[in-house]
Amino acid sequence: MTSDGGWGAEEDRRRYERALMTLVQDATVRIHRPPSGYAPEGPGDFLGSGFFIAPSWILTCAHVAMRGEGGAVNVVFRSDRYGGDRAEVPGRVVVALPGARPPGATGWPAPDLALVQLTRPVEHSCVHVTERSGGLLWGSDIRCVGWADAPGGELNLLSGAYRVRGAYGAADDVDQLVRLDEDWLVPGMSGGPVVDFARGEVVGVVKSQLDRQQGGIAVGIERLRTLKVPATPMEAETDDVYQAVFHAHDRYHADRHNSAAGTERTWADVQSELPVPPGGVLGPKRRADLLGRLAELAPPASTRSLLNLLDGLPGVHSRDHRPAPRGWRDGLGVLYDTEARDRTARFELIVRYCLGVLAADRPHGRLSVRNAKALWGWAKTIADVELPRDLRRRLDQEWADIRLGLEQNRQPAVPPPAAEPVRDGERDGVVLRIDQQGWARGRYDWRVSVGRHTGEAQPIDEDSRGVPLDTVPDRLAAALTEAFRRCDEPGSPAVLYAVVAPGQFGLPVDGWTLSPDGPSLGSVRPVVLSSSYRGPDGAGPDEGEPGPPPDTPGPGIRAEVVDCEDDVRVRVPEVAGLRALPPATVPVLCRYGSRPDAEATAGVVRLIDAGFAAALIQRRPAEADLVCRDFHRGVGRTVPEAGTRERLPWAVHELRRGVSAGRSELYWSDGIALYVRDTPHELPGADDPFLVAP
């Protein structure tokens, strides 16, 4: 902490400390041994602490996480930002440093770090982690946070004030440990975050207490750079755990800093209250924005290539930093320690670093021109304010050369997924129709049929007596099983079309199962929504005014979010405005939610009236302060990669399979639904007689 003279009123210091500790504590978790079933506030099977370092990723100690059976743990975290409610979710150890305790060792060797990945998506807070190479600086005033046993058999969240007194091992030693003094560390706090209060960021992990004395041992965050580098060239960001975690971390904080939703202070907001905010001349807010833009790019091809980029900048000594930088964020951290003392020179370094990133080789794919323009746009804004005109002219020319190369080497459109064994238009599908009874509120009729690709429907079963909605999945399991048996082919499951009213598009049919322990329908086969409402006066949407042109076999579709701007819900355009969208548009409803209100339902109706053949709908709860930029990015990638609207059911199916398999990079898609206008047979009207049940 800086001296008192660096602050204004003492109340300013207290307000900052309270705000920072709230951010840290919200992201600090308890780690327990599975299986679940213990009382969440009880002492049983408590292993230690950890903290969310990125969405669905927890950093803790290896000696904490590896005590779980087979690398499985249960994580208890704060699920309500405005209260004390806590939730429990399973997790699995993805990587540990080292991977096992040597035989005969009394403790876990350094660096004693582990990354735990949640096996299902949940909403939670994340800490902000330093990008500097040496976060735990000698003499630093820090706080340690973690869970520990308390009187009465409960578990309490504890914190203490400490000071860095030295280190065991040199800076380039993989097993370097940092010694803390001045306060007690309590069993159970292992794995908790170490926070530098002077910079307002997490810099390490609590490892252990000292034997019968105050203080303890911590591990610097930079030790994660020693994670194993993939032996083969990366095909995707997720091939390297280090890059996947920190890219997700930086996108998370940039999204929240740039979002118009919510009123609570972000990490960048709180850091800005410091007498000497982190981020050098950038400050915390510009830094958060830049790190988010860097995280949109493919990582460096190698550590060597990153070091070469940094060494080409004046006054930068990248090889003095141990462990060596691995990602773009690490390179930015190196720039904070340059010999450039002049403000203009420091800004020039940052702009030139951005140009170097744009010109760098890529380990997988080519650089997106859109993302490249976004990074250069940020850098040019800085240059226009901070740099002299002649220098700006030279930098503009360098960007022009880089952009020309990007345009010339633009990656061709991503080829569509391999064709399914039988195209949907050439095969049967299963149709489930659910109708609310007009004379009995809250009760529903259902029918299951096989929709022949020739147009007719083959009845399977129905129930017109009216049942509560929550009982429908169990009642129709046998009928769906029979229908799937008639349609599925080896390696090619049939599509399930769920026909419901627009106000029921939040129905999670894809999450239903046919048996208590069976997989969800959406993870086994494509599940899409269709509407029992067929447009004005009962006419199909393609029977009224002209709508978007029909699908063509060529690629080129793109997503367009129509109900959300800058994380704020907006009204879906009128039908005329929707029809003015380009023909290749797939509309996206980001704010439909799980229980849509009248306006959300009306927005769906306008999409149907406009005649779109397909639309994507997010059904997760849509609170006013929801930050949804990850969802926007995801649909922006998924729709073009599908190639055509015909392949969208299979693209959404792959997303659901990934979520079911615990692939956290796809958790943004949890709750997504696909509406399609056409099903394999003529839809019966709501007033048509039901089948006669045998």
Side-chain angles (χ1 to χ4, degrees), residues 354-360 367 372 376 395-409:
C354 291
L355 286 171
V357 170
L358 292 172
L367 180 62
W376 171 247
L395 295 173
D396 285 342
Q397 184 57 54
E398 290 181 31
W399 159 245
D401 294 341
I402 293 171
R403 179 178 177 179
L404 179 62
L406 293 175
E407 295 286 356
Q408 292 175 342
N409 297 306

Side-chain angles (χ1 to χ4, degrees), residues 446-471:
W446 60 265
R447 70 185 78 178
V448 174
S449 60
V450 171
R452 303 299 303 277
H453 67 278
T454 53
E456 68 271 15
Q458 179 183 16
I460 300 296
D461 201 358
E462 54 84 18
D463 189 340
S464 60
R465 295 167 296 179
V467 296
L469 188 60
D470 59 356
T471 68

Side-chain angles (χ1 to χ4, degrees), residues 314-317 320 334-342 345-346 349:
V316 176
H317 304 287
D320 292 343
V334 169
L335 300 186
Y336 302 153
D337 299 323
T338 65
E339 297 174 352
R341 303 302 180 191
D342 177 75
R346 287 184 176 274
L349 268 182

Side-chain angles (χ1 to χ4, degrees), residues 58-77:
I58 293 159
L59 179 59
T60 183
C61 285
H63 80 261
V64 172
M66 296 300 283
R67 289 166 62 194
E69 301 296 331
V73 296
N74 281 351
V75 177
V76 178
F77 68 101

Side-chain angles (χ1 to χ4, degrees), residues 197-280:
F197 251 52
R199 295 207 301 263
E201 55 193 15
V202 172
V203 295
V205 181
V206 177
K207 175 174 168 57
S208 63
Q209 63 181 147
L210 293 178
D211 189 22
R212 294 186 295 278
Q213 58 181 304
Q214 289 179 314
I217 303 298
V219 182
I221 286 287
E222 72 279 359
R223 300 295 138 180
L224 281 174
R225 298 180 187 178
T226 63
L227 284 170
K228 185 177 180 180
V229 178
T232 57
M234 289 187 296
E235 297 295 328
E237 175 187 290
T238 52
D239 291 344
D240 186 338
V241 174
Y242 181 86
Q243 306 290 358
V245 168
F246 280 107
H247 277 211
H249 169 279
D250 290 336
R251 288 192 291 260
Y252 170 91
H253 287 287
D255 287 350
R256 275 140 193 85
H257 166 65
N258 293 320
S259 174
T263 57
E264 69 274 8
R265 283 180 289 182
T266 65
W267 279 81
D269 292 331
V270 173
Q271 290 166 344
S272 297
E273 298 178 7
L274 286 163
V276 183

Side-chain angles (χ1 to χ4, degrees), residues 14 190 282 389 463 480 504 656 660:
R14 294 196 184 99
S190 293
L282 288 177
R389 182 181 300 174
D463 189 340
L480 286 177
Q504 294 294 327
R656 289 170 175 157
S660 179

